[in-house]
């Protein structure tokens, strides 16, 4: 499809923050979807990213643009939308036999400075704060990470403490492999990048939504105040090692109930058919619809 033909569309729904302004202007109406809340606004503020003007700006960060946000709004009006998951492709499925709480992630990252503070984008830093967790829980814990040159270091740091470590490409090279890995898991346990914790946007990953939709309890690091994330009932957010161990114990104490609650949570707030419909309606009516 040529750009000339695409420009005849009613709406450009743009998920790439670096789309050139000349391209965005070709469309009669444009909507940006910010999937890196907090980070995008910081990158814009320090000049690392230049976002073309759009008619409307959405974000998956609940605190973006609010007066109490820990970062600027960059002069844009940000409308919150939950990230979507397509439920028919992620049916609830019971774990088959012994299984672990898992996650899929990058092990490496970088750092950047904002307001005089150096923030880290490394999952390695995040996980090492909870490296001793296996000694505090009966649940099995496994991480599937993009190892590469970090293979030996990751295994050396985590495996002696009771973690299972796998190469992410072995379980997620295709969409089918990734879905099978998630649905064979007992649930998700994951840490967030330190930068995400620092910016407090209430970010939730699309990966966690896939676990929840599959009926898997999710235990993840707390990323900020939320109106819809429950910190209980199938979805737990922790700040400390003790809270992480307690969340795993609570999920295991009534696993079937928390599995049903996990699926109910995504059906209520993150169902793609509802989320995308609301985004399109608001994008096409100029954002006049009620906030969600």
């Amino acid at each position: 499809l040529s750009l000339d033909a695409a420009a005849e569309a009613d709406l450009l729904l743009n998920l790439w923050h670096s789309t050139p302004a000349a391209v965005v202007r070709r469309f009669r109406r444009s909507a940006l979807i910010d999937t890196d809340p907090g980070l995008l606004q910081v990158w814009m503020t320090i000049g690392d990213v230049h976002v073309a003007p759009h008619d409307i700006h959405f974000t998956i960060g609940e605190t973006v643009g609010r007066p109490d946000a820990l970062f600027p709004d960059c002069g844009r009006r940000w409308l919150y939308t939950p990230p979507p998951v397509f439920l028919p492709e992620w049916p609830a499925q019971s774990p088959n036999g012994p299984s672990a709480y898992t996650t899929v992630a990058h092990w490496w990252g970088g750092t950047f400075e904002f307001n005089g503070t150096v923030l880290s984008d490394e999952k390695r830093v995040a996980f090492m704060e909870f490296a001793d967790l296996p000694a505090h829980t009966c649940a099995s814990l496994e991480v599937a990470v993009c190892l590469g040159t970090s293979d030996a270091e990751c295994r050396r740091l985590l495996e002696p403490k009771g973690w299972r470590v796998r190469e992410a490409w072995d379980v997620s090279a295709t969409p089918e492999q990734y879905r099978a890995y998630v649905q064979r898991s007992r649930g998700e346990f994951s840490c967030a990048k330190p930068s995400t914790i620092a910016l407090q946007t209430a970010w939730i990953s699309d990966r966690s939504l896939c676990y929840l939709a599959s009926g898997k309890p999710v235990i993840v690091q707390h990323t900020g105040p939320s109106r819809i994330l429950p910190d209980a009932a199938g979805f737990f957010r922790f700040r400390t090692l003790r809270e992480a161990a307690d969340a795993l114990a609570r999920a295991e104490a009534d696993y079937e109930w928390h599995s049903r609650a996990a699926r109910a949570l995504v059906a209520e707030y993150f169902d793609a058919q509802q989320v995308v419909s609301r985004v399109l309606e608001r994008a096409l009516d100029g954002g006049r619809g009620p906030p969600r």
Side-chain angles (χ1 to χ4, degrees):
L1 184 67
S2 70
L3 183 57
D4 287 339
E8 295 301 315
D10 292 325
L11 176 71
L12 167 66
L13 201 60
N14 183 19
L15 279 76
W16 186 41
H17 52 64
S18 294
T19 301
V23 173
V24 175
R25 286 196 299 265
R26 298 291 297 276
F27 291 81
R28 64 182 70 178
R29 187 160 184 82
S30 58
L32 177 72
I33 309 291
D34 163 31
T35 58
D36 289 305
L39 291 172
L40 176 60
Q41 288 73 28
V42 168
W43 296 334
M44 293 171 67
T45 300
I46 64 180
D48 283 354
V49 169
H50 301 279
V51 176
H54 290 67
D55 293 302
I56 191 167
H57 301 79
F58 292 96
T59 178
I60 65 168
E62 289 189 59
T63 65
V64 177
R66 291 189 347 198
D68 58 347
L70 302 179
F71 45 86
D73 62 13
C74 305
R76 318 270 175 121
R77 180 192 177 210
W78 299 95
L79 303 177
Y80 172 69
T81 177
V85 60
F86 188 55
L87 297 180
E89 289 295 328
W90 291 93
Q93 186 167 320
S94 300
N96 185 15
S99 55
Y101 286 81
T102 67
T103 196
V104 182
H106 287 287
W107 186 240
W108 48 266
T111 60
F112 62 93
E113 186 174 337
F114 178 61
N115 282 347
T117 300
V118 176
L119 301 177
S120 171
D121 271 339
E122 289 196 359
K123 279 293 183 79
R124 174 190 182 280
V125 173
F127 269 96
M128 289 314 301
E129 293 185 16
F130 297 90
D132 293 325
L133 180 59
H136 298 269
T137 179
C138 295
S140 297
L141 299 172
E142 177 175 297
V143 291
V145 292
C146 298
L147 294 170
T149 57
S150 303
D151 189 338
E153 179 203 40
C154 181
R155 295 185 186 281
R156 175 178 59 82
L157 293 173
L158 292 182
E159 287 184 338
K161 294 181 178 291
W163 295 83
R164 296 207 300 256
V165 177
R166 299 189 65 177
E167 167 58 62
W169 291 110
D170 291 341
V171 302
S172 61
T174 68
E176 292 75 20
Q177 282 182 308
Y178 176 64
R179 180 171 55 192
Y181 182 69
V182 168
Q183 296 196 322
R184 285 197 302 266
S185 300
R186 189 159 181 83
E188 182 185 26
F189 176 88
S190 188
C191 300
K193 295 176 180 179
S195 58
T196 301
I197 304 300
L199 295 173
Q200 292 284 285
T201 62
W203 173 84
I204 179 174
S205 75
D206 50 9
R207 178 194 61 246
S208 293
L209 298 182
C210 294
Y211 280 90
L212 291 169
S214 301
K216 313 296 179 179
V218 166
I219 296 97
V220 290
Q221 208 163 1
H222 199 288
T223 59
S226 172
R227 294 172 296 165
I228 62 177
L229 300 177
D231 295 336
F235 186 88
F236 302 88
R237 298 193 297 168
F238 61 87
R239 294 180 178 87
T240 66
L241 189 148
R242 181 174 181 176
E243 288 180 357
D246 180 64
L248 285 164
R250 290 166 65 190
E252 286 297 298
D254 196 344
Y255 181 82
E256 291 186 1
W257 186 86
H258 285 292
S259 295
R260 293 192 297 271
R263 177 73 181 190
L265 177 64
V266 290
E268 181 174 2
Y269 293 110
F270 303 98
D271 179 356
Q273 293 180 327
Q274 298 180 34
V275 171
V276 175
S277 292
R278 288 196 297 265
V279 165
L280 292 175
E281 288 171 3
R282 299 193 72 192
L284 292 170
D285 76 2
R288 293 186 294 272
R292 299 291 295 186

